[in-house]
Amino acid sequence: APNRERLVTQHFEFLRLSQPWLPAANEPIEYRGPRPARYNPDSGALVVPGGVSSEFSYDVKSREVIPTEKDLDAIPSLADVAPGRYTDLPSDMPHLAEITQIARQLTRGAQTPYRKVLALQNYLRNPRYFTYREDVAAGNAADDVLQFLTVSRAGYCEQFATSMAVLLRTLGIPARVAVGFTPGIIQRRQGKSTILRVTTNQAHAWVEVLFPKYGWLPFEPTPTRFNAIAAPYAFPIPASTGSSSATSPEVCRLPLAGQPFAE
């Protein structure tokens, strides 16, 4: 099947939020709001210089392209698609050799960068090896990553996303940890539109990988989490089973207060 392209229209209203970055589906092509905004093609972010505060509202139109497995399998290398900061790791990073070896072992046999990304995502999601738990200490340093991968094997989205991004970077794959929110709770449906309420209870971290033509694509290493938009490529249905191995959607809570600030 060919990749899916659609035009997405969004309206956002902030109840309590102060930050320069504006949520928007990728890739925003039209913005209407009370203050000028600019699109940063490098980061894929829509930004208001100086930031915004409470009771800010705006409208965005985005051209959303969802690639298929075949589309991403056709990309033989990601070596030159991003600035070095998206593949760089500190040269004196503790345990870098051990973490690199883990990444190579887990992706042995993967023929394309896309298949390597899937191999790492699916390993971290596998309940045979890892457990989702919120009662673990926060930490994303090199010591924490190796401890998570080899000893504790338990955590919430911060540990899963950070570990996957580090593993990918050791392989030269441009990756970053994105922090944002799950879609939120449906308040009501209005014609063809859906009104969602998003609070800090929906705070979440995931991994994004930069692919040429498609930009930053999200992947979901956290067990119990599922990204419906990314499903065609991040959770491909195995031909032999006819059903997806993805688990049902649940909330991955970051250690933030549950205060509503966006709708």
Side-chain angles (χ1 to χ4, degrees):
N3 59 48
R4 297 184 294 138
E5 180 173 332
R6 64 175 184 169
L7 188 66
V8 182
T9 300
Q10 311 132 76
H11 173 75
F12 293 89
E13 296 180 6
F14 296 162
L15 298 183
R16 290 187 289 279
L17 178 64
S18 297
Q19 65 174 29
W21 304 282
L22 300 182
N26 190 48
E27 168 183 5
I29 58 174
E30 182 181 311
Y31 161 83
R32 293 183 181 181
R35 294 183 56 189
R38 59 179 176 81
Y39 176 66
N40 185 330
D42 179 25
S43 65
L46 190 63
V47 181
V48 173
V52 300
S53 56
S54 301
E55 300 182 359
F56 185 87
S57 64
Y58 62 99
D59 295 275
V60 181
K61 286 186 179 180
S62 301
R63 181 180 292 113
E64 192 173 69
V65 179
I66 308 297
T68 64
E69 291 179 87
K70 184 177 180 180
D71 295 328
L72 298 183
D73 264 333
I75 299 173
S77 173
L78 299 179
D80 300 312
V81 301
R85 68 177 179 274
Y86 293 121
T87 54
D88 286 348
L89 290 167
S91 58
D92 59 349
M93 176 178 171
H95 313 299
L96 181 57
E98 295 99 312
I99 295 172
T100 301
Q101 183 62 22
I102 291 171
R104 289 174 178 170
Q105 289 176 346
L106 293 175
T107 57
R108 184 181 294 123
Q111 299 299 310
T112 65
Y114 165 60
R115 292 297 164 178
K116 293 179 181 180
V117 176
L118 277 188
L120 294 177
Q121 172 194 265
N122 295 342
Y123 173 71
L124 291 168
R125 292 179 62 85
N126 193 326
R128 292 175 55 194
Y129 306 121
F130 292 91
T131 303
Y132 177 84
R133 283 175 48 189
E134 296 180 13
D135 60 341
V136 298
N140 52 27
D143 287 335
D144 299 314
V145 170
L146 188 63
Q147 173 80 5
F148 171 75
L149 290 172
T150 61
V151 181
S152 71
R153 295 177 176 267
Y156 50 91
C157 50
E158 178 182 350
Q159 287 80 23
F160 283 96
T162 299
S163 297
M164 180 175 172
V166 170
L167 289 166
L168 287 169
R169 288 192 177 196
T170 67
L171 300 175
I173 294 175
R176 67 184 184 184
V177 174
V179 177
F181 307 92
T182 58
I185 300 171
I186 296 177
Q187 299 294 289
R188 65 182 184 278
R189 300 189 186 277
Q190 187 172 305
K192 295 183 178 180
S193 300
T194 301
I195 310 301
L196 301 168
R197 182 178 178 84
V198 182
T199 77
T200 49
N201 282 331
Q202 282 79 49
H204 185 50
W206 61 94
V207 171
E208 294 182 343
V209 178
L210 185 60
F211 284 86
K213 183 179 177 180
Y214 303 109
W216 288 104
L217 296 180
F219 288 84
E220 185 50 77
T222 303
T224 77
R225 280 291 297 120
F226 176 72
N227 186 327
I229 298 299
Y233 64 84
F235 302 106
I237 299 174
S240 59
T241 64
S243 62
S244 172
S245 61
T247 53
S248 59
E250 293 182 18
V251 173
C252 172
R253 292 186 175 85
L254 290 171
L256 302 171
Q259 296 299 318
F261 52 73
E263 185 170 353

